[in-house]
Amino acid sequence: MARKNLLQGLMDQAKTEPPAPEEPQQRAPRYAKGAIGAVSQSIADLKSRSVVELDPNTIIEGGLSDRVEHDEAEHATLMESIRTYGQQVPVLVRPDPQDSERYRIVYGRRRVLALRDLGLPVKAMIRDLDDREAILAQGQENSARRDLSFIEKANFARQMVEAGYDRKIIADALTTDKTLISRLLQVAESVPVEIIEHIGAAPSVGRDRWLSFATRWTEQEIQPDQGIEMLDVYACDKSDDRFDALFAWLEKREKQLKGGKPVPLADSPPAPAAEKRALTRPDGKRLGQITRKGDKLRIDLTGKSAQGFDTWLEDNIERLHRDWLANRDEDGRS
C-alpha cells in the first residue's frame, strides 16, 4: 500500500508542478532523464556492446576494399584455425539501409568468408554507423592489427579520396599523419590499380621501395598492359616476388634507356626470395624455422624448445629418408 501511495503522490506532484523550461540545443534524450532513463541508457549501451550470431549469408560487402588480393593459403589457414578453436574475435557490421534482413560488413571480411565456407554462424557486433563512421572504424581496426601492407593502405587511401573524403578523415581512418598520407597517395596515383592488383599485398615491401617503384614507373611512362605482360612472363607465385621481378625490370630498363640501348620485354626471372615458415610445438611455443630458397631447404631448431628432438632428428634423418624412399617406391611414384 505504501508503494502505491508513494507512486500516487509522485503522479499528483507531476500534475501540479509546471514543466521546467528546456534549454535550446542542450535537451538530453528522453531516455537519459531519471531512473527509467538510466535503465534505458544502460540497455542501449549493453546492446551496442553485445555479440550476436548471424547467418553469414545475410552479411554483404560494404565500405571500401582494404585488401588487394585473396590469398587461398591464408584463407585455408584461417578456416582451419576457426574449425579448431572457434571464432575468437567478433566482426563488426551495420544494418543495410536498403534491406532490413541484411547487414553490411565494416571489418572482419576474411572471418566472414571463412565462416561462410565452414557453414558456421558469424559472431558479430551490430552498430548503427553512417558511411564516414564505418570507414573510420574499418581503418582504425586495420591500423590496430598492423597487418595491412603499405600498398594496401595506399589503395585504401585512394578509394577514400575517390569517395570524396578529405585528408584529415583519411589520416584519422588510417591512424597516421598527413605526411604519410601524401606518400601513400603519391604511390596510389602513380601506379595503376591494375598493376597493384596483379602484384598483390607484397607485405615485406615498404614505403621507400614503393616510392622508388612509382617514380620509375612514371618516368618511363610504362603502360599497365606492359607491366601485366611482364608479370605473366615471370609468373611468380608470391606477391613479394612479383614486386621484386617488376622492380628489377624497371631498374634494368632505366639503365638501358639512359644508355640508348634497346629494351627487351623480359630477361630470365630473378632468383626467388627465400621462403620462411615458423615451426611450432603442440603447446604453441616456437620450435624453429624452415627456410627454402630454390632447391635448398634448411631446418633450424632451437635446442631449448626442441627438448632433444634436434638430436633425435640428427640421428634418424637418414633412416627417415630411406623409409620415405621405400614408401614412395611402393606407391609407384618415381
Side-chain angles (χ1 to χ4, degrees), residues 166-186:
D166 61 36
R167 296 204 175 191
K168 183 183 183 307
I169 298 298
I170 300 172
D172 290 342
L174 291 172
T175 320
T176 188
D177 55 41
K178 292 184 179 179
T179 301
L180 180 57
I181 295 300
S182 296
R183 299 291 184 269
L184 292 168
L185 292 175
Q186 180 181 342

Side-chain angles (χ1 to χ4, degrees), residues 91-270:
V91 306
L92 181 64
V93 300
R94 57 176 177 150
D96 182 1
Q98 299 176 354
D99 188 343
S100 61
E101 300 294 324
R102 293 184 178 276
Y103 301 89
R104 293 186 179 182
I105 189 71
V106 177
Y107 60 70
R109 286 167 171 76
R110 291 185 296 172
R111 277 165 278 170
V112 171
L113 289 175
L115 288 160
R116 183 179 298 167
D117 288 349
L118 288 169
L120 298 174
V122 177
K123 295 178 182 178
M125 298 179 292
I126 303 174
R127 298 283 189 275
D128 286 317
L129 304 174
D130 59 27
D131 290 345
R132 177 179 177 275
E133 292 168 334
I135 288 174
L136 286 172
Q138 180 185 0
Q140 290 172 1
E141 200 263 352
N142 286 333
S143 297
R145 289 203 318 263
R146 296 182 180 179
D147 66 346
L148 283 186
S149 67
F150 176 86
I151 197 60
E152 286 179 314
K153 290 179 181 178
N155 199 45
F156 188 79
R158 175 190 58 78
Q159 293 177 78
M160 291 192 70
V161 169
E162 292 176 352
Y165 293 97
D166 61 36
R167 296 204 175 191
K168 183 183 183 307
I169 298 298
I170 300 172
D172 290 342
L174 291 172
T175 320
T176 188
D177 55 41
K178 292 184 179 179
T179 301
L180 180 57
I181 295 300
S182 296
R183 299 291 184 269
L184 292 168
L185 292 175
Q186 180 181 342
V187 172
E189 292 167 358
S190 300
V191 183
V193 176
E194 306 97 300
I195 297 300
I196 293 174
E197 291 176 343
H198 274 77
I199 290 176
S204 69
V205 182
R207 178 193 62 189
D208 292 341
R209 295 191 71 204
W210 270 112
L211 285 169
S212 181
F213 182 99
T215 299
R216 285 174 168 82
W217 184 276
T218 303
E219 289 178 349
Q220 297 181 40
E221 300 181 347
I222 308 294
Q223 297 302 311
D225 57 348
Q226 289 178 280
I228 293 171
E229 190 173 356
M230 274 293 307
L231 290 170
D232 289 341
V233 169
Y234 287 137
C236 300
D237 292 331
K238 295 186 176 294
S239 59
D240 285 331
D241 295 339
R242 290 193 290 272
F243 176 91
D244 289 340
L246 203 52
F247 187 70
W249 177 67
L250 286 174
E251 287 185 314
K252 186 169 185 178
R253 193 175 189 276
E254 182 181 47
K255 293 177 182 178
Q256 291 170 331
L257 287 172
K258 289 180 178 178
K261 298 179 181 179
V263 182
L265 176 64
D267 299 315
S268 58

